[in-house]
Structure formats: structure tokens, C-alpha cells
Amino acid sequence: MASFPVINLEKLEGGERSKVMEVLHDACANWGFFELLNHGISHELLDKVEKLTKGHYKKCMEERFREFASKTLQDVSKVDVDNLDWESTFYLRHIPTSNMSEIPDLSDEYRETMKEFVLSLEELAEQLLDLLCENLGLEKGYLKKAFSGSKGPTFGTKVSNYPPCPKPELIKGLRAHTDAGGLILLFQDDMVSGLQLLKDGEWVDVPPIHHSIVINLGDQIEVITNGKYKSVLHRVVAQPEGTRMSIASFYNPGSDAVIYPATALLEEAKKKSEVYPKFVFEDYMKLYAIQKFQAKEPRFETMKNMESAVI
């Protein structure tokens, strides 16, 4: 199997641009994941985000998770492990409106640092969307416009910690799923692994590389590209030692954005059944909330059956 795609963004500026763009295209078409180095976010900022995130977990969330873990492990035979994730999380919204000030227990330093961090991630997401457009032969800005709806794209962050699990063979850190949205930018722990993706029927580790940003594609990119680029199943494997930090930021369509395949990418579709559906993103999210840990293909079929309702 080919090695996991790692892309040095600095090389876009030199003579190796075409090679980098080829690797990016292959990653989007055949992996659904890639890892970025020299992405423009300073190592100092990343180190600060990591330090504050881990400190916040220890101070404000670790004890609550221990209580959950203790109750869960009292009698594992009574635990529905197929509907359980071994993770401690909180969510931040950034655009169109922020909830940063509403999250309890966050220090002022953490709030300000995260604001700086997510602004950098938003810029990186939009840069990457335009690189995808370039590889697909779409006009610059097409994907951002497709995501925009009436209020622009949405952007938010899931901050997770995956504590050590005494029963990693039984309990998943996070069950297998594809992501519903657009582009996901992940800053993950470089000391504790656990993230895996499904490729060619095998689970493959996403390597934890210091100061990298991991990118994966969501279901909406697959729809807009009519399957040329794919979202893929991924999961987090619980570890017996170490707490894994995961900060995943989601650059998604606006709730009223109408999502459908780009006309320029439909020439290969021989018949209507090969064309992905057209739908309002909010409708897809309602279905995803119920079916997150199920296969994506039935979701696409359900949306196709609802197509006549989309104006």
C-alpha cells in the first residue's frame, strides 16, 4: 500500500508545484486524507494551543471523565459499547456567530489563543479549497461560493481528549464515520496516536507528525465533485496509555446552502443514477444526526429521493 500522503505547502511556491498538486489530487481522490507541513501556522501558536488545551482538560474536565469511566467500567457487560465513545469533548462555534464567550471555565488566555488559531485555520481552509478547485478545473472560489448559502460558510471546532482506556479492545475512542461537512482541519497530539482511516478494506494509521495539520474531506466535497474526491470512514482507537488531544475544525456549508454536483464535473456521468443528489445542507445534517455512524451511501440515496423538494 502507498504511504500516507504528506504535503509540504512551502513547495507550492517553487519548481515542485506541479508535483505537489499531483500528490494533493491523488490524496483527495484515493485517500480522503492528507497531512500538511509548513502550512503557515506558527509552531509557537500550535505549541500554545496544545499547552492550553491539555491544561484545560486536566483542570476542568479530567475529573468528570474519571467519574464517567468509573461508572462505565463497573460492569462492562451492561455497557452498549456499539453506542459509546471514549472521549471528552466540547464545541466552539466561530462563524457566522461565535459562542467562545459562553463556554464555561475557559481562561481569557485560552479564548484569545483559540481566536487567533481558528482565524489562521479559516485562511488555510479557504486556500485549500482553491487548490482543490484548481485541480478539478473549477474557477477559483467555486467551493467557497457553493458553501455560502445566504450567510456564508460555517466554521466550528470540536476539542477532544481521549484518555487512556483499560479496555481498548472493547471500547472505541470514536466509532467509525465519515464527516458530514466540507473540509476538516485537525491539530492532533504528536505523542499519542489513535486516528485511523479505512483504505482498500484495511485500517491505516494517520501518522502523528509534530506541528502538522491533518486534512480530511467531508461528504459535501464528495457530492460537489460528483464522487471524484471522496470522504472516507475514519475512527479513533482507544489507547491503554496516554491522553490523546484532538482539535478538529470544520469548514462547512451554511445551513441553507443548496449542495449539488458542479456542472463542469458531470461529463463522465453516463446516466442519472451516477449523479449525486441535490439538497439543502440543513436537511442532510438532520439525517446525519441520526445516521452518523452508518454508511454514507444510504444518506445520499435518501437525499436523492427528496430531491424534488429542493427548489
Side-chain angles (χ1 to χ4, degrees):
M1 183 181 288
S3 57
F4 185 87
V6 178
I7 296 171
N8 182 346
L9 270 191
E10 275 187 345
K11 292 187 176 180
L12 280 174
E13 304 304 318
E16 295 184 68
R17 179 183 174 85
S18 61
K19 184 178 178 182
V20 172
M21 293 297 282
E22 282 178 20
V23 173
L24 176 62
H25 177 71
D26 179 73
C28 293
N30 297 310
W31 289 80
F33 268 78
F34 53 94
E35 200 150 0
L36 293 179
L37 304 178
N38 296 315
H39 37 65
I41 303 174
S42 76
H43 292 180
E44 292 77 14
L45 179 55
L46 292 173
D47 288 341
K48 192 174 182 183
V49 168
E50 180 172 1
K51 178 185 174 186
L52 291 170
T53 298
K54 290 182 173 180
H56 174 76
Y57 172 74
K58 264 199 126 25
K59 181 182 177 184
C60 302
M61 303 179 76
E62 187 173 46
E63 187 55 42
R64 275 182 307 208
F65 189 85
R66 279 182 181 155
E67 292 171 8
F68 157 79
S70 176
K71 289 178 184 175
T72 301
L73 296 170
Q74 272 177 359
D75 188 350
V76 180
S77 65
K78 294 181 180 177
V79 175
D80 182 7
V81 294
D82 292 330
N83 290 296
L84 176 72
D85 300 309
W86 194 262
E87 63 173 356
S88 173
T89 65
F90 64 94
Y91 297 86
L92 300 171
R93 292 194 313 272
H94 313 306
I95 58 172
T97 55
S98 171
N99 71 340
M100 196 90 75
S101 62
E102 301 163 21
I103 305 297
D105 306 324
L106 295 185
S107 69
D108 290 342
E109 183 184 22
Y110 193 15
R111 291 182 212 276
E112 291 307 310
T113 301
M114 287 301 285
K115 283 179 186 176
E116 182 183 355
F117 179 51
V118 298
L119 278 173
S120 299
L121 284 175
E122 186 184 345
E123 289 179 11
L124 178 59
E126 293 180 355
Q127 178 190 358
L128 288 169
L129 287 177
D130 280 341
L131 291 175
L132 267 57
C133 286
E134 185 179 334
N135 265 338
L136 290 162
L138 300 172
E139 65 184 31
K140 185 177 182 181
Y142 181 94
L143 286 170
K144 181 179 179 181
K145 186 177 178 183
F147 281 15
S148 290
S150 63
K151 298 177 183 176
T154 62
F155 194 48
T157 298
K158 177 187 176 186
V159 181
S160 304
N161 283 274
Y162 297 92
C165 179
K167 302 275 186 183
E169 73 287 350
L170 189 66
I171 301 172
K172 294 284 186 300
L174 179 61
R175 290 162 284 163
H177 63 287
T178 62
D179 288 319
L183 201 66
I184 298 83
L185 303 93
L186 169 68
F187 177 38
Q188 67 168 342
D189 204 296
D190 68 301
M191 301 299 290
V192 183
S193 62
L195 179 61
Q196 296 182 330
L197 65 93
L198 190 66
K199 179 167 172 56
D200 302 329
E202 294 181 20
W203 287 104
V204 179
D205 290 332
V206 177
I209 301 175
H210 197 37
H211 293 141
S212 71
I213 299 290
V214 176
I215 308 296
N216 72 281
L217 308 181
D219 295 347
Q220 307 314 303
I221 294 286
E222 181 166 338
V223 172
I224 294 170
T225 65
N226 204 49
K228 285 184 169 57
Y229 289 170
K230 303 283 190 185
S231 62
V232 299
L233 280 172
H234 53 284
R235 68 183 185 184
V236 176
V237 178
Q239 302 293 329
E241 295 180 12
T243 296
R244 175 179 176 267
M245 178 199 75
S246 164
I247 304 174
S249 295
F250 299 81
Y251 191 101
N252 287 348
S255 60
D256 65 350
V258 179
I259 303 298
Y260 55 91
T263 305
L265 302 179
L266 290 178
E267 66 276 2
E268 291 176 20
K270 303 291 190 295
K271 47 187 183 291
K272 188 169 172 56
S273 63
E274 295 176 2
V275 177
Y276 278 67
K278 180 179 184 179
F279 52 82
V280 177
F281 181 59
E282 185 175 33
D283 292 337
Y284 189 86
M285 287 304 295
K286 287 175 183 174
L287 183 63
Y288 182 82
I290 303 166
Q291 300 182 357
K292 175 176 178 176
F293 298 108
Q294 299 175 27
K296 62 187 173 183
E297 290 81 8
R299 293 197 294 268
F300 293 153
E301 281 303 312
T302 299
M303 289 294 107
K304 191 171 281 191
N305 293 335
M306 291 171 59
E307 246 183 302
S308 58
V310 179
I311 297 173

CSV table of all heavy atoms in Angstrom, one decimal, residues 178-211:
chain,number,residue,atom,x,y,z
A,178,THR,N,-17.9,8.9,8.5
A,178,THR,CA,-17.4,9.9,7.6
A,178,THR,C,-17.9,11.2,8.2
A,178,THR,O,-18.9,11.3,8.9
A,178,THR,CB,-17.9,9.8,6.1
A,178,THR,OG1,-19.3,9.9,6.1
A,178,THR,CG2,-17.5,8.4,5.6
A,179,ASP,N,-17.3,12.3,7.9
A,179,ASP,CA,-17.7,13.6,8.3
A,179,ASP,C,-18.7,14.2,7.4
A,179,ASP,O,-18.6,14.1,6.1
A,179,ASP,CB,-16.5,14.6,8.5
A,179,ASP,CG,-15.6,14.2,9.7
A,179,ASP,OD1,-16.2,13.8,10.7
A,179,ASP,OD2,-14.4,14.2,9.6
A,180,ALA,N,-19.7,14.8,7.9
A,180,ALA,CA,-20.9,15.3,7.1
A,180,ALA,C,-20.5,16.5,6.3
A,180,ALA,O,-21.1,16.7,5.2
A,180,ALA,CB,-22.1,15.7,8.0
A,181,GLY,N,-19.6,17.4,6.7
A,181,GLY,CA,-19.5,18.7,6.1
A,181,GLY,C,-18.5,18.8,5.0
A,181,GLY,O,-18.5,17.9,4.1
A,182,GLY,N,-17.7,19.8,5.0
A,182,GLY,CA,-16.8,20.2,3.9
A,182,GLY,C,-15.4,19.7,4.1
A,182,GLY,O,-15.0,18.7,3.6
A,183,LEU,N,-14.6,20.6,4.7
A,183,LEU,CA,-13.2,20.4,4.9
A,183,LEU,C,-12.9,20.4,6.4
A,183,LEU,O,-13.3,21.3,7.1
A,183,LEU,CB,-12.4,21.5,4.2
A,183,LEU,CG,-11.0,21.3,3.9
A,183,LEU,CD1,-10.8,20.2,2.8
A,183,LEU,CD2,-10.3,22.6,3.3
A,184,ILE,N,-12.2,19.4,6.8
A,184,ILE,CA,-11.9,19.3,8.3
A,184,ILE,C,-10.4,19.4,8.5
A,184,ILE,O,-9.6,18.8,7.8
A,184,ILE,CB,-12.3,17.9,8.8
A,184,ILE,CG1,-13.8,17.7,8.7
A,184,ILE,CG2,-11.9,17.7,10.3
A,184,ILE,CD1,-14.3,17.3,7.4
A,185,LEU,N,-10.0,20.3,9.4
A,185,LEU,CA,-8.6,20.6,9.7
A,185,LEU,C,-8.3,20.2,11.1
A,185,LEU,O,-8.9,20.7,12.1
A,185,LEU,CB,-8.3,22.1,9.5
A,185,LEU,CG,-8.7,22.7,8.2
A,185,LEU,CD1,-10.1,23.3,8.1
A,185,LEU,CD2,-7.7,23.8,7.8
A,186,LEU,N,-7.4,19.2,11.3
A,186,LEU,CA,-7.2,18.6,12.6
A,186,LEU,C,-5.7,18.9,13.1
A,186,LEU,O,-4.8,18.6,12.4
A,186,LEU,CB,-7.3,17.1,12.5
A,186,LEU,CG,-6.9,16.2,13.6
A,186,LEU,CD1,-7.8,16.5,14.9
A,186,LEU,CD2,-6.9,14.8,13.3
A,187,PHE,N,-5.7,19.4,14.3
A,187,PHE,CA,-4.4,19.5,15.0
A,187,PHE,C,-4.4,18.4,16.1
A,187,PHE,O,-5.2,18.5,17.0
A,187,PHE,CB,-4.3,20.9,15.6
A,187,PHE,CG,-3.0,21.1,16.5
A,187,PHE,CD1,-1.8,20.5,16.1
A,187,PHE,CD2,-3.1,21.9,17.6
A,187,PHE,CE1,-0.6,20.7,16.9
A,187,PHE,CE2,-1.9,22.1,18.4
A,187,PHE,CZ,-0.7,21.5,18.0
A,188,GLN,N,-3.6,17.4,15.9
A,188,GLN,CA,-3.7,16.2,16.8
A,188,GLN,C,-2.4,16.1,17.6
A,188,GLN,O,-1.3,16.6,17.2
A,188,GLN,CB,-4.0,15.0,16.0
A,188,GLN,CG,-2.8,14.5,15.1
A,188,GLN,CD,-3.0,13.1,14.5
A,188,GLN,OE1,-3.8,12.3,15.1
A,188,GLN,NE2,-2.3,12.8,13.5
A,189,ASP,N,-2.5,15.3,18.7
A,189,ASP,CA,-1.4,15.0,19.5
A,189,ASP,C,-0.3,14.3,18.7
A,189,ASP,O,-0.6,13.4,17.9
A,189,ASP,CB,-1.9,14.1,20.6
A,189,ASP,CG,-1.0,14.1,21.9
A,189,ASP,OD1,0.2,13.7,21.8
A,189,ASP,OD2,-1.5,14.5,22.9
A,190,ASP,N,0.9,14.7,18.9
A,190,ASP,CA,2.0,14.1,18.1
A,190,ASP,C,2.7,13.0,19.0
A,190,ASP,O,3.6,12.3,18.5
A,190,ASP,CB,3.1,15.1,17.7
A,190,ASP,CG,3.8,15.7,18.8
A,190,ASP,OD1,3.2,16.3,19.7
A,190,ASP,OD2,5.1,15.5,18.9
A,191,MET,N,2.2,12.8,20.2
A,191,MET,CA,2.8,11.7,21.1
A,191,MET,C,1.9,10.5,21.2
A,191,MET,O,2.4,9.4,21.4
A,191,MET,CB,3.1,12.3,22.5
A,191,MET,CG,4.1,13.5,22.4
A,191,MET,SD,5.7,13.1,21.8
A,191,MET,CE,6.4,12.1,23.1
A,192,VAL,N,0.6,10.7,21.2
A,192,VAL,CA,-0.3,9.6,21.4
A,192,VAL,C,-1.1,9.4,20.1
A,192,VAL,O,-1.8,10.3,19.7
A,192,VAL,CB,-1.3,9.8,22.6
A,192,VAL,CG1,-2.2,8.6,22.8
A,192,VAL,CG2,-0.5,10.2,23.8
A,193,SER,N,-1.0,8.3,19.5
A,193,SER,CA,-1.7,8.0,18.2
A,193,SER,C,-3.1,7.5,18.5
A,193,SER,O,-3.5,7.4,19.6
A,193,SER,CB,-0.9,7.0,17.3
A,193,SER,OG,-0.8,5.8,18.0
A,194,GLY,N,-3.8,7.1,17.4
A,194,GLY,CA,-5.1,6.5,17.6
A,194,GLY,C,-6.0,6.7,16.4
A,194,GLY,O,-7.0,6.0,16.1
A,195,LEU,N,-5.8,7.8,15.6
A,195,LEU,CA,-6.6,8.1,14.4
A,195,LEU,C,-6.3,7.1,13.3
A,195,LEU,O,-5.1,6.9,12.9
A,195,LEU,CB,-6.4,9.5,14.0
A,195,LEU,CG,-7.2,10.0,12.7
A,195,LEU,CD1,-8.7,9.9,13.0
A,195,LEU,CD2,-6.9,11.4,12.3
A,196,GLN,N,-7.3,6.5,12.7
A,196,GLN,CA,-7.2,5.6,11.6
A,196,GLN,C,-8.2,5.9,10.5
A,196,GLN,O,-9.3,6.3,10.8
A,196,GLN,CB,-7.3,4.1,12.0
A,196,GLN,CG,-6.3,3.6,13.0
A,196,GLN,CD,-6.5,2.2,13.4
A,196,GLN,OE1,-7.6,1.7,13.4
A,196,GLN,NE2,-5.4,1.5,13.7
A,197,LEU,N,-7.9,5.6,9.3
A,197,LEU,CA,-8.8,5.7,8.2
A,197,LEU,C,-8.9,4.3,7.4
A,197,LEU,O,-8.0,3.5,7.5
A,197,LEU,CB,-8.4,6.8,7.2
A,197,LEU,CG,-7.1,6.6,6.4
A,197,LEU,CD1,-7.3,6.0,5.0
A,197,LEU,CD2,-6.4,8.0,6.2
A,198,LEU,N,-10.0,4.1,6.8
A,198,LEU,CA,-10.2,2.9,6.1
A,198,LEU,C,-9.8,3.0,4.6
A,198,LEU,O,-10.4,3.9,3.9
A,198,LEU,CB,-11.7,2.4,6.2
A,198,LEU,CG,-12.0,1.0,5.6
A,198,LEU,CD1,-11.3,-0.1,6.5
A,198,LEU,CD2,-13.5,0.8,5.6
A,199,LYS,N,-8.8,2.3,4.2
A,199,LYS,CA,-8.4,2.3,2.8
A,199,LYS,C,-8.2,0.9,2.2
A,199,LYS,O,-7.5,0.1,2.8
A,199,LYS,CB,-7.1,3.1,2.6
A,199,LYS,CG,-6.6,3.2,1.2
A,199,LYS,CD,-5.4,4.2,1.0
A,199,LYS,CE,-4.8,4.1,-0.4
A,199,LYS,NZ,-5.8,4.2,-1.5
A,200,ASP,N,-8.9,0.7,1.1
A,200,ASP,CA,-8.8,-0.7,0.5
A,200,ASP,C,-9.1,-1.8,1.4
A,200,ASP,O,-8.4,-2.8,1.4
A,200,ASP,CB,-7.4,-0.8,-0.2
A,200,ASP,CG,-7.1,0.2,-1.2
A,200,ASP,OD1,-8.1,0.7,-1.9
A,200,ASP,OD2,-5.9,0.6,-1.4
A,201,GLY,N,-10.1,-1.5,2.3
A,201,GLY,CA,-10.5,-2.6,3.2
A,201,GLY,C,-9.6,-2.8,4.5
A,201,GLY,O,-9.9,-3.7,5.3
A,202,GLU,N,-8.6,-1.9,4.6
A,202,GLU,CA,-7.7,-2.0,5.8
A,202,GLU,C,-7.7,-0.7,6.6
A,202,GLU,O,-7.8,0.4,6.0
A,202,GLU,CB,-6.3,-2.4,5.3
A,202,GLU,CG,-6.1,-3.7,4.7
A,202,GLU,CD,-4.7,-4.0,4.3
A,202,GLU,OE1,-3.8,-3.3,4.8
A,202,GLU,OE2,-4.5,-4.9,3.4
A,203,TRP,N,-7.6,-0.8,7.9
A,203,TRP,CA,-7.4,0.4,8.7
A,203,TRP,C,-6.0,0.8,8.7
A,203,TRP,O,-5.1,0.0,9.0
A,203,TRP,CB,-7.9,0.1,10.1
A,203,TRP,CG,-9.4,0.0,10.2
A,203,TRP,CD1,-10.1,-1.2,10.4
A,203,TRP,CD2,-10.4,1.1,10.2
A,203,TRP,NE1,-11.5,-0.9,10.4
A,203,TRP,CE2,-11.7,0.5,10.3
A,203,TRP,CE3,-10.2,2.4,10.0
A,203,TRP,CZ2,-12.8,1.3,10.2
A,203,TRP,CZ3,-11.4,3.2,10.0
A,203,TRP,CH2,-12.7,2.6,10.1
A,204,VAL,N,-5.8,2.1,8.4
A,204,VAL,CA,-4.4,2.7,8.2
A,204,VAL,C,-4.3,3.8,9.2
A,204,VAL,O,-5.1,4.6,9.4
A,204,VAL,CB,-4.2,3.2,6.8
A,204,VAL,CG1,-2.9,3.9,6.6
A,204,VAL,CG2,-4.5,2.1,5.7
A,205,ASP,N,-3.1,3.8,9.9
A,205,ASP,CA,-2.9,4.8,10.9
A,205,ASP,C,-2.6,6.2,10.2
A,205,ASP,O,-1.9,6.2,9.2
A,205,ASP,CB,-1.6,4.5,11.8
A,205,ASP,CG,-1.9,3.3,12.7
A,205,ASP,OD1,-3.0,3.1,13.1
A,205,ASP,OD2,-0.9,2.6,13.0
A,206,VAL,N,-3.1,7.2,10.8
A,206,VAL,CA,-2.8,8.6,10.3
A,206,VAL,C,-1.6,9.0,11.2
A,206,VAL,O,-1.8,9.2,12.4
A,206,VAL,CB,-4.0,9.6,10.5
A,206,VAL,CG1,-3.5,11.0,10.1
A,206,VAL,CG2,-5.1,9.1,9.6
A,207,PRO,N,-0.4,9.1,10.7
A,207,PRO,CA,0.8,9.3,11.5
A,207,PRO,C,0.8,10.7,12.3
A,207,PRO,O,0.4,11.7,11.7
A,207,PRO,CB,1.9,9.3,10.5
A,207,PRO,CG,1.3,9.7,9.2
A,207,PRO,CD,-0.1,9.1,9.2
A,208,PRO,N,1.0,10.6,13.6
A,208,PRO,CA,1.1,11.9,14.3
A,208,PRO,C,2.5,12.6,14.1
A,208,PRO,O,3.5,12.1,14.6
A,208,PRO,CB,0.9,11.4,15.8
A,208,PRO,CG,1.4,10.0,15.8
A,208,PRO,CD,1.2,9.4,14.4
A,209,ILE,N,2.5,13.6,13.3
A,209,ILE,CA,3.7,14.4,13.0
A,209,ILE,C,3.7,15.7,13.7
A,209,ILE,O,2.7,16.4,13.6
A,209,ILE,CB,3.8,14.6,11.5
A,209,ILE,CG1,3.8,13.2,10.7
A,209,ILE,CG2,5.1,15.4,11.1
A,209,ILE,CD1,3.8,13.3,9.2
A,210,HIS,N,4.7,16.0,14.4
A,210,HIS,CA,4.8,17.3,15.2
A,210,HIS,C,4.5,18.5,14.3
A,210,HIS,O,5.1,18.7,13.2
A,210,HIS,CB,6.2,17.4,15.8
A,210,HIS,CG,6.3,18.3,16.9
A,210,HIS,ND1,5.3,18.5,17.8
A,210,HIS,CD2,7.4,19.2,17.3
A,210,HIS,CE1,5.7,19.4,18.7
A,210,HIS,NE2,6.9,19.9,18.4
A,211,HIS,N,3.6,19.4,14.8
A,211,HIS,CA,3.3,20.6,14.2
A,211,HIS,C,2.6,20.5,12.8
A,211,HIS,O,2.6,21.4,12.0
A,211,HIS,CB,4.5,21.5,14.0
A,211,HIS,CG,5.1,22.0,15.3
A,211,HIS,ND1,6.5,22.1,15.5
A,211,HIS,CD2,4.5,22.4,16.5
A,211,HIS,CE1,6.7,22.5,16.8
A,211,HIS,NE2,5.5,22.7,17.4
